[in-house]
Amino acid sequence: MLLSLQGTFPPAILALADGTVFSGNSIGATGTTVGEVVFNTAITGYQEILTDPSYCQQIVTLTYPHIGNYGVNGEDIEADKVHAAGLIIKDLPLLASNFRQSETLSQYLVRENTVAIANIDTRKLTRLLRSKGAQNGAIIGLAAGQAVTQALIDEAIAKAKAAPNMAGLDLAQVVTTPSRYEWTQTEWKLGSGYGELTAPQFHVVAYDFGVKKNILRMLAERGCKVTVVPAKTPAAEVLALNPDGVFLSNGPGDPEPCDYAIAATRTIVDSGVPTFGICLGHQIMALAAGAKTFKMANSHHGANHPVKDLDTGRVSITSQNHGFAVDMDSLPANLRATHVSLFDGTLQGLVHKNKPAFCFQGHPEASPGPHDIAYLFDRFTEAMRVAKAA
């Protein structure tokens, strides 16, 4: 943001629970927001990040310095609203240009009532988060004409310290759909937009723990008519729909309090129905089998994470968004590790040894990318094809 034009945007304050304070400019809604402050290393995809339900009650710092240069459009959303608690960036370009653009990032943030701050040292903030781990924070976006005062700084620090810890929070039931619905929209293509499934080959029931739209699109693209159900749907109701496969979606928060989902997953996997889990769904599948999860000191958020497939040796660049992980040392005898992170060695994939069930920690459906790990969706449809032929 050009220094001469800062006056266009009112002041804003970012305070962390450890007392660190940053002053910048408000580029979103006026008001206050609190949440766990995390950083994401993706260069593009800010609209997809903001609307990812897995970011519920998290304030996202984008490490790439220039955010907003291609604006916002009505198609690149992963949910029907912004789920991130707030946004932190360094530079908001004064010009946004893209043939699909419908509004600027700042206009979108205001319309979505999302508090955001720009013009701070995001490199310093990221180093702090890397060394100390994710911590709670608060952003206060001031109105035009307001000035930063010590009282407002003290208020921001107090709100950051008072924010709830992510550990122990069941947020899946906060972001889930209130009722069942059908999904048939397929992936976006240049020149034609989104398509529509016309000849379904499989019926998949998807648990919505915070599902991203592109997951559903990639399932539909592969011939799956999808029935999306709320997070607390009992296993008996799902199995009564006679699905060819069951999908466990991504989502926010701590997986351990999701006892309803863990119990349902245990029943579904034991039934022998092909099951595929992503992110929170991966963690829930592991917990259902008897493994344990833990809160990570440095969570994974970005679009450049290398993951190794232990079966083939293939390395994929992946999109990641999680603050909890499955403990590799806690795996029971019926689970086998299939993928690991090459950043820190944490577990990224699992498969049941005697059931057609597997899961992955990252986001293989990544929009806008990368798409290296999308082959897992093909593995899921193949498992359903084998089960139907048996």
Side-chain angles (χ1 to χ4, degrees), residues 286-303:
L287 289 168
K292 297 180 180 178
T293 57
F294 64 94
K295 180 77 167 68
M296 303 173 71
N298 280 298
S299 51
H300 288 182
H301 308 277

Side-chain angles (χ1 to χ4, degrees), residues 27 33 46 49-50 58-62 67 84-89 105 109 114-118 139:
I27 59 168
T33 189
Y46 50 81
I49 289 167
L50 286 166
Q58 289 183 316
I59 297 173
V60 183
T61 305
L62 295 177
I67 299 296
L87 178 67
I88 303 167
I89 66 171
L105 174 59
L109 292 167
T114 302
V115 179
I117 185 171
I139 303 174

Side-chain angles (χ1 to χ4, degrees), residues 6 9 21 35-36 39 50 53 78 90 101 116 144 149 170 194 197 200 225 232-233 250 253 268 280 291 352 384 387:
Q6 285 182 17
F9 297 92
V21 176
E36 181 183 55
F39 65 89
L50 286 166
E78 294 294 348
K90 183 182 189 302
Q101 176 189 344
T149 64
D170 174 6
Y194 293 114
L197 175 65
K225 182 188 76 171
K232 288 192 170 183
T233 304
N250 63 293
I268 289 167
L280 184 67
H352 268 260
M384 290 189 286

Side-chain angles (χ1 to χ4, degrees), residues 3-143:
L3 295 177
S4 61
L5 296 176
Q6 285 182 17
T8 306
F9 297 92
I13 303 165
L14 165 65
L16 302 181
D18 68 359
T20 304
V21 176
F22 296 84
S23 294
N25 295 90
S26 174
I27 59 168
T30 300
T32 302
T33 189
V34 299
E36 181 183 55
V37 182
V38 299
F39 65 89
N40 187 305
T41 57
I43 295 175
T44 60
Y46 50 81
Q47 188 175 353
E48 292 89 340
I49 289 167
L50 286 166
T51 54
D52 181 352
S54 293
Y55 278 118
C56 177
Q57 294 194 25
Q58 289 183 316
I59 297 173
V60 183
T61 305
L62 295 177
T63 61
Y64 188 71
H66 306 292
I67 299 296
N69 59 314
Y70 59 85
V72 171
N73 66 75
E75 292 182 320
D76 292 347
I77 55 173
E78 294 294 348
D80 291 332
K81 67 175 184 177
V82 169
H83 281 277
L87 178 67
I88 303 167
I89 66 171
K90 183 182 189 302
D91 176 66
L92 178 70
L94 296 175
L95 176 65
S97 178
N98 187 277
F99 75 100
R100 299 171 67 222
Q101 176 189 344
S102 58
E103 58 187 332
T104 67
L105 174 59
S106 184
Q107 290 169 338
Y108 179 66
L109 292 167
V110 171
R111 179 167 61 81
E112 287 289 318
N113 197 32
T114 302
V115 179
I117 185 171
N119 201 33
I120 73 161
D121 188 346
T122 51
R123 181 176 292 183
K124 177 182 177 181
L125 174 59
T126 301
R127 287 200 302 264
L128 192 155
L129 295 174
R130 279 189 61 83
S131 61
K132 294 188 177 182
Q135 59 175 299
N136 289 334
I139 303 174
I140 298 180
L142 303 183

Side-chain angles (χ1 to χ4, degrees), residues 11 28 36 130 141 176 180 207 217 279 284 295 299 306 316 328:
E36 181 183 55
R130 279 189 61 83
T176 190
R180 182 191 308 176
Y207 272 96
R217 295 180 187 123
C279 192
I284 287 171
K295 180 77 167 68
S299 51
S316 298
M328 182 90 76

Side-chain angles (χ1 to χ4, degrees), residues 319-356:
S319 178
Q320 303 277 329
N321 180 13
H322 61 101
F324 294 82
V326 177
D327 183 356
M328 182 90 76
D329 296 330
S330 73
L331 297 186
N334 63 337
L335 290 182
R336 178 175 64 83
T338 58
H339 297 78
V340 293
S341 167
L342 294 184
F343 274 165
D344 59 10
T346 52
L347 188 64
Q348 282 281 323
L350 290 168
V351 64
H352 268 260
K353 293 180 179 179
N354 50 14
K355 298 290 183 182

